[in-house]
Amino acid sequence: MASTIIDSRIFGDMFSDARMRDVWSDENRTAKYLDIERALAKVQGALGIIPKEAAAEIVKNCELSRIDWAKLKAKTEQIGYPIIAVVNQINANCRDGLGEFCHWGATTQDITDTATVLQIRESLALVEQDLDEIGDALAALARKYRDTPVIGRSNLQQATPITFGYKMASILAGIDRHRERLQQLRPRVLMGEFGGASGTLSSLEKGAMETQAALMQELGLAQPLISWHTVRDTIAEVGAFLGLVGGSLGKIAMDVKLMMQTEVAEVFEPFAPGRGSSSTMPQKRNPISCLYIHANVSVARQHAAALMDAMVADHERSTGPWEIEWVVLPEIFCLMSGALKQAKFVLKGLEVDAARMRRNIDITNGLVMSEAVMMGLGPYIGREYAHDLVYDLCRQAIAEDRPLIDILAAHPEIAKHVSRAQLEVFCDPGRNLGQAGVMVDRVLAARG
């Protein structure tokens, strides 16, 4: 019976993605052990390090269908690691004792680490697909709402107008940086391990480096310059990368949650009958996907920190830090897969109320245009004096509950320099959006 959120029959597909759970399943992990043992036998047979007949027999018996799961579980609990248990079964299934050449010169951590890297490779491919889809959805929103005014917010207060396209493009730029980071980290992270007991390959009298090179080529992984049994920066880098991605997804969720508030009501998660409803308040439309994103990325950040703790390993083979990765990697990838899936759902179907965005700009009776007014008056009366004057007139507009433009137009010193028509230009949100459109275009153009 499942006992975690990730494996729950009820919550599993809300907090994670089935494809990612498959990558980190016992079946796929064990299949990777077999892939590595198969590849090792194949290259060592070709190099003449083990008999070709033994290599062929081992290759034939590295099949997941031949694994006895009950024996694997029992042996793993007895020893503490599953690799010997897998090798024992391969050996037992081989004829004439030829299986004794299985795992030749390798150590448990070689197979475990390399299997983990193969799982990471599959996982990162899924993450990349999701980032591409999220980027495409953000690009579509940025393009569609390039010139749609929405209020910018600073310290949760209305600031100056921007465009919703600009808001989406700024997040898109971060997602595209994550896609770039992913390409940069792959050559460092997708590196196998074959070093033997202390990493020096002292277990092989001949062909040690040739075996290592051929094995990595067979698996499609980089050959390490030196053993990394207890130098775990590449694994921690994966965690840091996922933590960064999670931060961006959390930013999306935070903004959507805030913009879905009843008093704001500028965007909404995609509608589905009953989704987000309350057991006691039928009118509610809760930001369900955003809630799951927030929870998942918060836990993922702690897991990223745990992977950095795992870097503090003792000597050439560690006593505990390594096992932190066994716990954390499946969970951080699964939780991030859930957050990515929820983000895709939100962005692909995001409901945008452009009219409400404009009404929200107008609720301050023009006060949000004070910066534009100040800068417009600056050439006539000086910027600092304009700042102080506009500040006082904003306070007056609030106290009298009148439109700012009426207060401005009635002020004799302002009227000496600019007309009401000029003031209307200063106070028009649609004409004071700065370089928002240019910046949106730059982000979209950078995607190619």
Side-chain angles (χ1 to χ4, degrees), residues 211-423:
T211 295
Q212 187 187 73
L215 175 61
M216 298 313 151
Q217 185 175 7
E218 183 73 18
L219 296 171
L221 299 174
Q223 181 182 7
L225 296 176
I226 193 169
S227 172
W228 51 277
H229 285 147
T230 51
V231 183
R232 314 300 290 185
D233 58 292
T234 57
I235 304 299
E237 182 176 8
V238 172
F241 166 72
L242 293 175
L244 288 171
V245 172
S248 292
L249 301 183
K251 159 67 174 173
I252 294 169
M254 179 65 75
D255 280 1
V256 171
K257 282 189 293 183
L258 292 174
M259 296 175 83
M260 277 185 70
Q261 291 181 104
T262 306
E263 297 85 350
V264 180
E266 293 173 345
V267 304
F268 296 93
E269 288 186 3
F271 175 76
R275 181 175 174 81
S277 62
S278 165
S279 62
T280 59
M281 295 169 282
Q283 87 283 1
K284 289 190 72 182
R285 185 173 173 183
N286 293 319
I288 296 300
S289 288
C290 292
L291 306 183
Y292 288 114
I293 293 170
H294 189 128
N296 280 23
V297 302
S298 296
V299 177
R301 278 196 295 274
Q302 308 310 310
H303 283 353
L307 289 172
M308 293 182 186
D309 280 342
M311 292 178 66
V312 187
D314 43 301
H315 296 305
E316 282 62 56
R317 297 290 289 280
S318 68
T319 54
W322 184 39
E323 284 76 6
I324 294 172
E325 297 173 3
W326 299 12
V327 176
V328 169
L329 280 169
E331 291 191 3
I332 192 171
F333 270 110
C334 286
L335 289 170
M336 284 305 304
S337 73
L340 287 161
K341 180 171 70 174
Q342 296 286 1
K344 285 190 298 182
F345 172 79
V346 170
L347 294 171
K348 287 182 178 182
L350 190 68
E351 297 179 13
V352 179
D353 189 338
R356 181 60 180 255
M357 289 176 175
R358 180 52 198 252
R359 289 199 297 274
N360 285 344
I361 292 175
D362 294 336
I363 62 175
T364 64
N365 281 330
L367 292 178
V368 295
M369 302 309 301
S370 61
E371 180 194 55
V373 172
M374 176 190 71
M375 296 305 295
L377 293 176
Y380 302 102
I381 62 176
R383 182 196 168 280
E384 288 192 22
Y385 178 59
H387 173 276
D388 294 342
L389 177 59
V390 173
Y391 178 89
D392 290 339
L393 295 180
C394 285
R395 304 284 76 73
Q396 181 182 343
I398 293 169
E400 298 177 5
D401 192 23
R402 292 171 59 197
L404 177 62
I405 191 167
D406 291 346
I407 303 290
L408 295 168
H411 194 278
E413 187 162 4
I414 293 175
K416 285 192 306 185
H417 299 287
V418 296
S419 66
R420 186 180 179 98
Q422 287 175 289
L423 289 171

Side-chain angles (χ1 to χ4, degrees), residues 17-43:
D17 184 88
R19 300 172 304 162
M20 193 66 80
R21 294 197 301 273
D22 286 344
V23 171
W24 295 95
S25 66
D26 287 340
E27 291 78 8
N28 191 50
R29 182 183 300 107
T30 306
K32 295 294 181 284
Y33 298 156
L34 295 168
D35 289 343
I36 299 161
E37 297 291 0
R38 182 189 305 110
L40 179 60
K42 180 180 176 181
V43 301

Side-chain angles (χ1 to χ4, degrees), residues 74-83 323 326:
K75 194 75 170 178
T76 299
E77 290 173 352
Q78 176 191 355
I79 298 169
Y81 306 102
I83 301 304
E323 284 76 6
W326 299 12

